[in-house]
Structure formats: C-alpha cells, structure tokens
Coordinates of all heavy atoms in Angstrom, one line a residue:
M16 N -31.2 13.6 37.4 CA -31.3 12.6 36.4 C -31.0 11.3 37.0 O -30.0 11.1 37.7 CB -30.3 12.9 35.2 CG -30.4 12.0 34.1 SD -29.2 12.3 32.7 CE -29.7 13.8 32.1
P17 N -31.8 10.3 36.8 CA -31.6 8.9 37.4 C -30.3 8.3 36.8 O -29.9 8.6 35.7 CB -32.8 8.1 36.9 CG -33.8 9.1 36.5 CD -33.1 10.4 36.1
K18 N -29.7 7.5 37.6 CA -28.4 6.9 37.3 C -28.4 6.0 36.0 O -27.6 6.1 35.2 CB -27.9 6.1 38.5 CG -26.5 5.6 38.3 CD -25.9 5.1 39.6 CE -24.5 4.6 39.4 NZ -23.5 5.6 39.8
P19 N -29.5 5.2 35.8 CA -29.5 4.3 34.6 C -29.6 5.2 33.3 O -29.0 4.9 32.3 CB -30.8 3.5 34.7 CG -31.1 3.5 36.2 CD -30.6 4.8 36.7
V20 N -30.3 6.3 33.4 CA -30.5 7.2 32.2 C -29.1 7.8 31.9 O -28.7 8.0 30.7 CB -31.6 8.2 32.4 CG1 -31.6 9.2 31.3 CG2 -32.9 7.5 32.6
R21 N -28.4 8.3 33.0 CA -27.2 8.9 32.8 C -26.2 7.9 32.2 O -25.4 8.3 31.3 CB -26.6 9.5 34.1 CG -25.4 10.3 33.9 CD -24.9 10.9 35.2 NE -25.6 10.6 36.4 CZ -25.2 10.8 37.6 NH1 -24.1 11.4 37.8 NH2 -25.9 10.5 38.6
S22 N -26.2 6.7 32.7 CA -25.3 5.7 32.1 C -25.6 5.4 30.7 O -24.6 5.2 29.9 CB -25.4 4.4 32.9 OG -25.0 4.6 34.3
L23 N -26.8 5.4 30.3 CA -27.2 5.1 28.9 C -26.8 6.3 28.0 O -26.3 6.0 26.9 CB -28.7 5.0 28.8 CG -29.3 4.7 27.4 CD1 -28.7 3.3 26.9 CD2 -30.8 4.6 27.5
L24 N -26.9 7.5 28.5 CA -26.5 8.7 27.7 C -24.9 8.7 27.5 O -24.4 9.0 26.4 CB -26.9 10.0 28.4 CG -28.4 10.3 28.3 CD1 -28.7 11.5 29.0 CD2 -28.8 10.4 26.8
I25 N -24.2 8.3 28.6 CA -22.8 8.2 28.4 C -22.4 7.1 27.5 O -21.5 7.3 26.6 CB -22.1 8.0 29.8 CG1 -22.3 9.2 30.7 CG2 -20.6 7.6 29.7 CD1 -21.9 9.0 32.1
L26 N -23.0 6.0 27.5 CA -22.8 4.9 26.6 C -23.0 5.3 25.1 O -22.3 5.0 24.2 CB -23.6 3.7 27.0 CG -23.3 2.4 26.2 CD1 -21.9 2.0 26.3 CD2 -24.3 1.3 26.5
L27 N -24.1 6.0 24.9 CA -24.5 6.5 23.6 C -23.5 7.5 23.1 O -23.1 7.5 21.9 CB -25.9 7.1 23.5 CG -27.0 6.0 23.6 CD1 -28.4 6.8 23.8 CD2 -27.0 5.1 22.4
A28 N -23.0 8.4 23.9 CA -22.0 9.4 23.6 C -20.7 8.7 23.2 O -20.1 9.1 22.2 CB -21.8 10.4 24.7
L29 N -20.3 7.7 23.9 CA -19.1 7.0 23.6 C -19.2 6.3 22.3 O -18.3 6.2 21.5 CB -18.7 6.0 24.7 CG -18.2 6.7 26.0 CD1 -18.0 5.6 27.1 CD2 -16.9 7.4 25.7
A30 N -20.3 5.6 22.1 CA -20.5 4.9 20.8 C -20.5 5.8 19.6 O -19.9 5.5 18.6 CB -21.9 4.1 20.9
A31 N -21.1 7.0 19.7 CA -21.2 8.0 18.6 C -19.7 8.5 18.4 O -19.3 8.7 17.2 CB -22.1 9.1 19.0
G32 N -19.0 8.7 19.4 CA -17.6 9.2 19.3 C -16.7 8.2 18.6 O -15.9 8.5 17.7
L33 N -16.9 6.9 19.0 CA -16.1 5.9 18.3 C -16.5 5.6 16.9 O -15.6 5.4 16.0 CB -16.2 4.6 19.1 CG -15.5 4.5 20.5 CD1 -15.8 3.2 21.2 CD2 -14.0 4.7 20.3
S34 N -17.7 5.7 16.6 CA -18.1 5.6 15.2 C -17.6 6.7 14.3 O -17.3 6.5 13.1 CB -19.6 5.4 15.0 OG -20.3 6.7 15.4
G35 N -17.5 7.9 14.9 CA -16.9 9.0 14.1 C -15.5 8.8 13.8 O -15.0 9.2 12.8
C36 N -14.8 8.2 14.8 CA -13.3 8.0 14.6 C -13.1 7.0 13.4 O -12.2 7.1 12.7 CB -12.7 7.4 15.9 SG -12.5 8.6 17.1
G37 N -14.0 6.0 13.3 CA -13.9 5.0 12.3 C -14.0 5.6 10.9 O -13.3 5.2 10.0
T38 N -14.9 6.6 10.7 CA -15.0 7.2 9.3 C -13.8 8.1 9.0 O -13.4 8.2 7.9 CB -16.3 7.9 9.2 OG1 -16.4 8.9 10.2 CG2 -17.5 7.0 9.3
V39 N -13.4 8.8 10.0 CA -12.2 9.7 9.8 C -11.0 8.9 9.5 O -10.3 9.2 8.5 CB -12.0 10.6 11.1 CG1 -10.6 11.3 11.0 CG2 -13.1 11.6 11.2
N40 N -10.8 7.8 10.2 CA -9.6 7.0 10.0 C -9.7 6.3 8.6 O -8.6 6.1 7.9 CB -9.4 5.9 11.0 CG -9.0 6.5 12.3 OD1 -8.4 7.6 12.3 ND2 -9.2 5.9 13.4
E41 N -10.8 5.9 8.1 CA -11.0 5.3 6.8 C -10.5 6.3 5.7 O -9.8 5.9 4.8 CB -12.4 4.9 6.6 CG -12.7 4.3 5.2 CD -14.1 4.0 5.0 OE1 -14.9 4.0 5.9 OE2 -14.5 3.8 3.8
K42 N -10.9 7.5 5.8 CA -10.5 8.5 4.8 C -9.1 8.9 4.9 O -8.4 9.1 3.9 CB -11.4 9.7 4.9 CG -12.9 9.4 4.6 CD -13.8 10.6 4.8 CE -15.2 10.1 4.5 NZ -16.2 11.1 4.9
L43 N -8.5 9.0 6.1 CA -7.1 9.4 6.3 C -6.2 8.2 5.9 O -5.1 8.5 5.3 CB -6.9 9.8 7.7 CG -7.4 11.1 8.2 CD1 -7.1 11.3 9.6 CD2 -6.7 12.2 7.4
S44 N -6.6 7.0 6.1 CA -5.7 5.9 5.9 C -5.4 5.7 4.4 O -4.4 5.1 4.1 CB -6.3 4.6 6.5 OG -7.4 4.2 5.8
A45 N -6.3 6.2 3.5 CA -6.0 6.0 2.1 C -4.8 6.8 1.7 O -4.1 6.4 0.8 CB -7.3 6.5 1.3
S46 N -4.5 7.9 2.3 CA -3.3 8.7 1.9 C -2.2 8.7 2.9 O -1.1 9.0 2.6 CB -3.7 10.1 1.5 OG -4.3 10.7 2.6
M47 N -2.5 8.5 4.2 CA -1.5 8.6 5.2 C -0.4 7.5 5.1 O 0.7 7.7 5.6 CB -2.1 8.6 6.6 CG -2.8 9.9 6.9 SD -1.8 11.4 6.8 CE -0.7 11.1 8.1
G48 N -0.8 6.4 4.6 CA 0.2 5.3 4.4 C 1.4 5.7 3.6 O 2.5 5.1 3.8
E49 N 1.3 6.6 2.7 CA 2.4 7.0 1.9 C 3.4 7.8 2.7 O 4.6 7.9 2.3 CB 1.9 7.9 0.7 CG 1.0 7.1 -0.2 CD 0.3 8.0 -1.3 OE1 0.7 9.2 -1.3 OE2 -0.5 7.5 -2.0
Y50 N 3.0 8.4 3.8 CA 3.9 9.3 4.6 C 4.5 8.6 5.8 O 5.4 9.1 6.4 CB 3.1 10.6 5.0 CG 2.6 11.3 3.8 CD1 1.3 11.4 3.5 CD2 3.5 11.9 2.9 CE1 0.8 12.0 2.4 CE2 3.0 12.6 1.8 CZ 1.6 12.7 1.6 OH 1.2 13.3 0.5
V51 N 4.0 7.4 6.1 CA 4.5 6.7 7.3 C 5.6 5.9 6.8 O 5.6 5.2 5.8 CB 3.3 5.8 7.9 CG1 3.9 4.9 9.0 CG2 2.2 6.6 8.3
P52 N 6.8 5.9 7.6 CA 7.9 5.1 7.2 C 7.6 3.6 7.2 O 6.7 3.1 7.9 CB 9.0 5.3 8.2 CG 8.5 6.5 9.0 CD 7.0 6.6 8.8
Q53 N 8.3 2.8 6.3 CA 8.0 1.4 6.2 C 8.2 0.7 7.5 O 7.4 -0.2 7.9 CB 8.9 0.8 5.2 CG 8.7 -0.7 4.9 CD 9.6 -1.3 3.9 OE1 10.4 -0.6 3.3 NE2 9.4 -2.5 3.7
W54 N 9.2 1.1 8.3 CA 9.4 0.4 9.6 C 8.3 0.6 10.6 O 8.1 -0.1 11.5 CB 10.8 0.8 10.2 CG 10.9 2.3 10.5 CD1 11.4 3.2 9.7 CD2 10.4 3.0 11.7 NE1 11.3 4.5 10.3 CE2 10.7 4.3 11.5 CE3 9.8 2.6 12.8 CZ2 10.4 5.3 12.4 CZ3 9.4 3.5 13.8 CH2 9.8 4.9 13.6
A55 N 7.5 1.7 10.4 CA 6.4 2.0 11.3 C 5.0 1.5 10.7 O 4.0 1.8 11.2 CB 6.3 3.4 11.5
G56 N 5.1 0.7 9.6 CA 3.9 0.1 9.1 C 3.4 0.8 7.8 O 2.2 0.6 7.4
G57 N 4.2 1.6 7.2 CA 3.8 2.3 6.0 C 3.9 1.4 4.8 O 4.1 0.2 4.9
L58 N 3.8 2.0 3.6 CA 3.9 1.2 2.4 C 5.2 0.6 2.2 O 6.2 1.3 2.5 CB 3.5 2.1 1.2 CG 2.1 2.5 1.0 CD1 2.0 3.5 -0.1 CD2 1.2 1.3 0.7
P59 N 5.3 -0.6 1.7 CA 6.7 -1.2 1.4 C 7.3 -0.5 0.2 O 6.6 0.2 -0.6 CB 6.3 -2.6 1.1 CG 4.9 -2.7 0.7 CD 4.3 -1.5 1.4
A60 N 8.6 -0.6 0.1 CA 9.3 0.1 -1.0 C 8.9 -0.4 -2.4 O 9.0 0.4 -3.3 CB 10.8 -0.2 -0.8
D61 N 8.5 -1.7 -2.5 CA 8.1 -2.2 -3.8 C 6.6 -2.1 -4.1 O 6.1 -2.7 -5.0 CB 8.6 -3.6 -4.0 CG 7.9 -4.5 -3.0 OD1 7.4 -4.1 -2.0 OD2 8.1 -5.8 -3.1
A62 N 5.9 -1.2 -3.4 CA 4.4 -1.1 -3.6 C 4.2 -0.3 -4.9 O 4.9 0.6 -5.2 CB 3.8 -0.3 -2.4
P63 N 3.2 -0.8 -5.7 CA 2.9 -0.1 -6.9 C 2.3 1.3 -6.7 O 1.8 1.5 -5.6 CB 1.9 -1.0 -7.6 CG 1.3 -1.8 -6.5 CD 2.3 -1.9 -5.5
P64 N 2.3 2.2 -7.6 CA 1.8 3.5 -7.5 C 0.2 3.4 -7.3 O -0.4 2.4 -7.7 CB 2.1 4.3 -8.7 CG 2.9 3.4 -9.6 CD 3.0 2.0 -8.9
R65 N -0.4 4.5 -6.8 CA -1.8 4.5 -6.6 C -2.5 4.6 -8.0 O -2.1 5.2 -8.9 CB -2.2 5.8 -5.8 CG -1.7 5.7 -4.4 CD -2.8 5.9 -3.4 NE -2.3 5.8 -2.1 CZ -2.6 4.9 -1.2 NH1 -3.3 3.9 -1.6 NH2 -2.1 4.9 0.0
A66 N -3.7 3.9 -8.0 CA -4.5 3.9 -9.2 C -5.0 5.3 -9.5 O -5.2 6.1 -8.6 CB -5.7 3.0 -9.1
G67 N -5.0 5.6 -10.8 CA -5.5 7.0 -11.3 C -4.4 8.0 -11.5 O -4.6 9.1 -11.9
T68 N -3.1 7.6 -11.2 CA -2.0 8.5 -11.4 C -1.3 8.2 -12.7 O -1.4 7.0 -13.1 CB -1.0 8.5 -10.2 OG1 -0.5 7.2 -10.1 CG2 -1.7 8.8 -8.9
P69 N -0.6 9.1 -13.3 CA 0.2 8.8 -14.5 C 1.2 7.7 -14.2 O 1.5 6.9 -15.1 CB 0.9 10.1 -14.8 CG 0.1 11.2 -14.2 CD -0.5 10.5 -12.9
Q70 N 1.8 7.7 -13.0 CA 2.8 6.6 -12.7 C 2.1 5.3 -12.7 O 2.7 4.3 -13.1 CB 3.4 6.9 -11.4 CG 4.3 8.1 -11.3 CD 3.5 9.3 -10.9 OE1 2.3 9.3 -10.7 NE2 4.1 10.5 -10.9
Y71 N 0.9 5.2 -12.3 CA 0.2 3.9 -12.3 C -0.1 3.4 -13.7 O 0.1 2.2 -14.0 CB -1.2 4.0 -11.5 CG -2.0 2.8 -11.5 CD1 -1.6 1.8 -10.6 CD2 -3.1 2.6 -12.3 CE1 -2.4 0.6 -10.5 CE2 -3.8 1.4 -12.3 CZ -3.4 0.4 -11.4 OH -4.2 -0.7 -11.3
D72 N -0.5 4.3 -14.6 CA -0.7 3.9 -16.0 C 0.6 3.4 -16.6 O 0.6 2.4 -17.3 CB -1.2 5.1 -16.8 CG -2.6 5.6 -16.3 OD1 -3.3 4.8 -15.7 OD2 -2.9 6.8 -16.5
A73 N 1.7 4.1 -16.4 CA 3.0 3.6 -16.9 C 3.4 2.3 -16.3 O 3.9 1.4 -17.0 CB 4.1 4.6 -16.6
Y74 N 3.1 2.1 -15.0 CA 3.4 0.8 -14.3 C 2.6 -0.3 -14.9 O 3.1 -1.4 -15.2 CB 3.1 1.0 -12.8 CG 3.1 -0.3 -12.0 CD1 4.3 -0.9 -11.6 CD2 1.9 -1.0 -11.7 CE1 4.4 -2.0 -10.9 CE2 2.0 -2.1 -11.0 CZ 3.2 -2.7 -10.6 OH 3.2 -3.8 -9.9
M75 N 1.3 -0.1 -15.2 CA 0.5 -1.1 -15.8 C 0.9 -1.5 -17.2 O 0.8 -2.6 -17.6 CB -1.0 -0.7 -15.7 CG -1.6 -0.6 -14.3 SD -1.4 -2.2 -13.4 CE -2.6 -3.2 -14.2
K76 N 1.3 -0.4 -18.0 CA 1.8 -0.7 -19.3 C 3.0 -1.6 -19.3 O 3.2 -2.5 -20.1 CB 2.1 0.6 -20.1 CG 0.8 1.3 -20.5 CD 1.1 2.6 -21.2 CE -0.1 3.4 -21.6 NZ 0.2 4.7 -22.2
E77 N 4.0 -1.3 -18.4 CA 5.2 -2.0 -18.3 C 4.9 -3.5 -17.8 O 5.5 -4.4 -18.3 CB 6.2 -1.4 -17.3 CG 7.4 -2.1 -17.1 CD 8.3 -2.2 -18.3 OE1 8.1 -1.4 -19.3 OE2 9.2 -3.0 -18.3
R78 N 3.9 -3.6 -16.9 CA 3.5 -4.9 -16.4 C 2.9 -5.8 -17.5 O 3.2 -6.9 -17.7 CB 2.6 -4.7 -15.3 CG 2.2 -6.0 -14.5 CD 1.3 -5.6 -13.4 NE 0.7 -6.8 -12.8 CZ -0.2 -6.8 -11.9 NH1 -0.6 -5.7 -11.4 NH2 -0.7 -7.9 -11.5
E79 N 2.1 -5.1 -18.3 CA 1.5 -5.8 -19.5 C 2.5 -6.2 -20.5 O 2.5 -7.3 -21.1 CB 0.4 -5.0 -20.1 CG -0.3 -5.6 -21.2 CD -1.2 -6.8 -20.8 OE1 -1.4 -7.0 -19.6 OE2 -1.6 -7.6 -21.8
R80 N 3.5 -5.3 -20.7 CA 4.6 -5.6 -21.7 C 5.4 -6.9 -21.2 O 5.7 -7.8 -22.0 CB 5.5 -4.4 -21.8 CG 6.6 -4.6 -22.9 CD 7.6 -3.5 -22.9 NE 8.4 -3.5 -21.7 CZ 9.5 -4.4 -21.4 NH1 9.8 -5.3 -22.3 NH2 10.2 -4.3 -20.3
K81 N 5.7 -6.9 -19.9 CA 6.4 -8.0 -19.4 C 5.6 -9.3 -19.4 O 6.1 -10.4 -19.7 CB 6.9 -7.8 -17.9 CG 8.0 -6.8 -17.8 CD 8.4 -6.6 -16.4 CE 9.5 -5.6 -16.3 NZ 9.9 -5.4 -14.9
R82 N 4.3 -9.2 -19.2 CA 3.4 -10.4 -19.3 C 3.4 -11.0 -20.7 O 3.3 -12.2 -20.8 CB 2.0 -10.0 -18.8 CG 1.1 -11.2 -18.7 CD -0.3 -10.7 -18.4 NE -1.0 -10.1 -19.5 CZ -1.6 -10.8 -20.5 NH1 -1.6 -12.1 -20.5 NH2 -2.2 -10.1 -21.4
L83 N 3.5 -10.2 -21.7 CA 3.4 -10.7 -23.1 C 4.7 -11.2 -23.6 O 4.7 -11.8 -24.6 CB 2.9 -9.6 -24.0 CG 1.4 -9.1 -23.7 CD1 1.1 -7.9 -24.6 CD2 0.5 -10.2 -23.9
L84 N 5.8 -11.0 -22.9 CA 7.1 -11.5 -23.3 C 7.2 -13.0 -23.1 O 6.6 -13.5 -22.2 CB 8.2 -10.8 -22.5 CG 8.7 -9.4 -22.8 CD1 9.7 -9.0 -21.8 CD2 9.2 -9.4 -24.2
P85 N 7.9 -13.7 -24.0 CA 8.1 -15.1 -23.7 C 8.9 -15.3 -22.5 O 9.7 -14.4 -22.1 CB 8.9 -15.6 -25.0 CG 8.7 -14.5 -26.0 CD 8.4 -13.2 -25.3
A86 N 8.8 -16.4 -21.8 CA 9.4 -16.7 -20.5 C 11.0 -16.6 -20.6 O 11.6 -16.0 -19.7 CB 9.1 -18.1 -20.0
A87 N 11.6 -17.0 -21.7 CA 13.0 -17.0 -21.8 C 13.5 -15.5 -21.9 O 14.5 -15.1 -21.3 CB 13.5 -17.7 -23.1
D88 N 12.8 -14.7 -22.6 CA 13.1 -13.3 -22.7 C 12.9 -12.6 -21.4 O 13.7 -11.7 -21.0 CB 12.3 -12.6 -23.8 CG 12.7 -13.1 -25.2 OD1 13.8 -13.7 -25.4 OD2 11.9 -12.9 -26.1
R89 N 11.9 -12.9 -20.7 CA 11.6 -12.3 -19.4 C 12.7 -12.6 -18.4 O 13.1 -11.7 -17.7 CB 10.2 -12.9 -18.9 CG 9.6 -12.1 -17.8 CD 8.2 -12.6 -17.4 NE 7.4 -13.0 -18.6 CZ 6.6 -14.0 -18.6 NH1 6.4 -14.7 -17.5 NH2 5.9 -14.3 -19.6
E90 N 13.2 -13.9 -18.4 CA 14.3 -14.2 -17.5 C 15.5 -13.5 -17.8 O 16.2 -13.0 -16.9 CB 14.5 -15.7 -17.5 CG 13.4 -16.6 -16.9 CD 13.6 -18.1 -17.2 OE1 14.7 -18.5 -17.8 OE2 12.7 -18.8 -16.8
K91 N 15.8 -13.3 -19.1 CA 17.0 -12.6 -19.5 C 16.9 -11.1 -19.1 O 17.9 -10.5 -18.6 CB 17.2 -12.6 -21.1 CG 17.7 -14.0 -21.6 CD 17.7 -14.0 -23.1 CE 18.0 -15.4 -23.6 NZ 18.0 -15.4 -25.1
E92 N 15.8 -10.6 -19.2 CA 15.6 -9.1 -18.8 C 15.7 -9.0 -17.3 O 16.3 -8.0 -16.9 CB 14.2 -8.7 -19.3 CG 13.9 -7.2 -19.0 CD 12.6 -6.7 -19.6 OE1 12.4 -7.0 -20.8 OE2 11.9 -6.1 -18.9
E93 N 15.2 -9.9 -16.5 CA 15.3 -9.9 -15.1 C 16.8 -10.0 -14.7 O 17.2 -9.3 -13.8 CB 14.5 -10.9 -14.4 CG 13.0 -10.7 -14.5 CD 12.1 -11.8 -14.0 OE1 12.7 -12.8 -13.5 OE2 10.9 -11.7 -14.1
Q94 N 17.5 -10.9 -15.3 CA 18.9 -11.0 -15.0 C 19.7 -9.8 -15.3 O 20.6 -9.4 -14.6 CB 19.5 -12.2 -15.7 CG 19.0 -13.6 -15.1 CD 19.5 -14.7 -15.9 OE1 20.2 -14.6 -17.0 NE2 19.2 -15.9 -15.5
A95 N 19.4 -9.1 -16.5 CA 20.0 -7.9 -16.9 C 19.8 -6.8 -15.9 O 20.7 -6.0 -15.6 CB 19.6 -7.5 -18.3
Q96 N 18.5 -6.7 -15.4 CA 18.2 -5.7 -14.4 C 18.9 -5.9 -13.1 O 19.4 -5.0 -12.4 CB 16.7 -5.6 -14.2 CG 15.9 -5.0 -15.3 CD 14.4 -5.0 -15.1 OE1 13.9 -5.6 -14.1 NE2 13.7 -4.3 -15.9
K97 N 19.0 -7.2 -12.7 CA 19.8 -7.5 -11.4 C 21.2 -7.2 -11.6 O 21.9 -6.7 -10.7 CB 19.6 -9.0 -11.1 CG 18.2 -9.3 -10.5 CD 18.1 -10.7 -10.1 CE 16.7 -11.1 -9.7 NZ 16.6 -12.5 -9.4
G98 N 21.8 -7.5 -12.7 CA 23.2 -7.1 -13.0 C 23.5 -5.7 -13.0 O 24.5 -5.2 -12.6
A99 N 22.5 -4.9 -13.5 CA 22.7 -3.4 -13.6 C 22.6 -2.8 -12.3 O 23.3 -1.8 -12.0 CB 21.6 -2.8 -14.5
T100 N 21.8 -3.3 -11.3 CA 21.7 -2.8 -10.0 C 22.8 -3.3 -9.1 O 23.0 -2.7 -8.0 CB 20.3 -3.1 -9.4 OG1 20.2 -4.5 -9.3 CG2 19.2 -2.4 -10.2
G101 N 23.5 -4.3 -9.5 CA 24.6 -4.8 -8.7 C 24.1 -5.7 -7.5 O 24.9 -5.8 -6.5
S102 N 22.9 -6.2 -7.6 CA 22.5 -7.0 -6.5 C 22.6 -8.5 -6.7 O 21.8 -9.2 -7.3 CB 21.0 -6.7 -6.2 OG 20.2 -7.0 -7.4
A103 N 23.8 -9.0 -6.5 CA 24.1 -10.4 -6.6 C 23.6 -11.1 -5.4 O 23.5 -10.5 -4.3 CB 25.6 -10.6 -6.8
P104 N 23.2 -12.4 -5.5 CA 22.7 -13.1 -4.3 C 23.6 -13.2 -3.1 O 23.1 -13.2 -2.0 CB 22.4 -14.5 -4.9 CG 22.4 -14.4 -6.4 CD 23.2 -13.2 -6.7
G105 N 24.9 -13.2 -3.3 CA 25.8 -13.3 -2.2 C 26.1 -11.9 -1.5 O 26.8 -11.9 -0.5
N106 N 25.6 -10.8 -2.1 CA 25.9 -9.5 -1.6 C 24.8 -8.9 -0.7 O 24.6 -7.7 -0.7 CB 26.2 -8.5 -2.7 CG 27.4 -8.9 -3.5 OD1 28.3 -9.6 -3.0 ND2 27.6 -8.4 -4.7
A107 N 24.1 -9.7 -0.1 CA 22.9 -9.3 0.8 C 23.5 -8.5 2.0 O 24.4 -8.9 2.6 CB 22.1 -10.4 1.2
V108 N 22.8 -7.4 2.3 CA 23.2 -6.6 3.4 C 22.4 -7.2 4.6 O 21.2 -7.4 4.6 CB 22.8 -5.1 3.2 CG1 23.0 -4.3 4.5 CG2 23.5 -4.6 2.0
R109 N 23.1 -7.4 5.7 CA 22.5 -7.9 6.9 C 22.5 -6.9 8.0 O 23.2 -6.1 8.3 CB 23.2 -9.2 7.4 CG 23.1 -10.2 6.3 CD 23.8 -11.5 6.8 NE 23.9 -12.4 5.6 CZ 24.2 -13.6 5.7 NH1 24.6 -14.1 6.8 NH2 24.2 -14.3 4.6

C-alpha cells in the first residue's frame, strides 16, 4: 500500500474514533455530573434538581410561590431561614 494512502486511512480512522468519543461523552455527561464530587467539577451543592423528576416539580412550585410573595415577606422568610440554619454572616468557615 502506498504511503499517502496509508496515511489517509490512519487519519480517517482517528477522525472516526474521535467523533465516536464525542457522542458517547455527550450522553454520559448528562448523568455523570451528579456522581462527580464538586471539587472535581461536579454539580454544585445548590444546583436545582433535574427536570422531569418529582423533586424538580416541587422545586418549581416553591420557586413560583416565592416569586409571588411581596418583597417584604420574601426578605422576612429568607432571614428566618438563615436564622434557622445558624448561618450568620460572621460565622463563615475558612
């Protein structure tokens, strides 16, 4: 087999292999992010649940409820939640 033809076949094989990796990674990345720790690039702790799950529906209902609250009530609720968790601004962990 002539050298240019062999080089072309190798190049085509590499291109096909790399394109296959792209489709596999696209499908895996949709769910693998949930299992990767945050420090390694996984989902952050405050990420909303995935769409289509019961937790997502509850999350969206709560979000809509908070959106419809008047601003003063919303601020009071946020302060009450911060007080319940014990996260005061001066108590940050370093």
Side-chain angles (χ1 to χ4, degrees):
M16 183 181 295
K18 190 167 179 99
V20 174
R21 185 176 6 167
S22 297
L23 182 62
L24 287 176
I25 290 172
L26 184 63
L27 287 174
L29 288 173
L33 287 175
S34 67
C36 288
T38 58
V39 168
N40 288 337
E41 177 186 346
K42 292 175 183 167
L43 285 177
S44 67
S46 62
M47 287 303 293
E49 296 174 5
Y50 302 109
V51 176
Q53 183 181 359
W54 60 266
L58 288 174
D61 60 346
R65 295 235 181 247
T68 63
Q70 294 88 3
Y71 180 77
D72 295 337
Y74 171 79
M75 291 306 289
K76 285 180 184 176
E77 179 66 16
R78 187 173 166 189
E79 181 66 14
R80 184 189 68 79
K81 286 182 180 179
R82 187 184 71 82
L83 295 175
L84 281 176
D88 293 343
R89 199 175 320 144
E90 290 173 4
K91 289 178 186 176
E92 186 175 307
E93 288 174 3
Q94 289 175 356
Q96 287 178 350
K97 286 181 184 178
T100 58
S102 60
N106 296 339
V108 176
R109 296 179 190 191

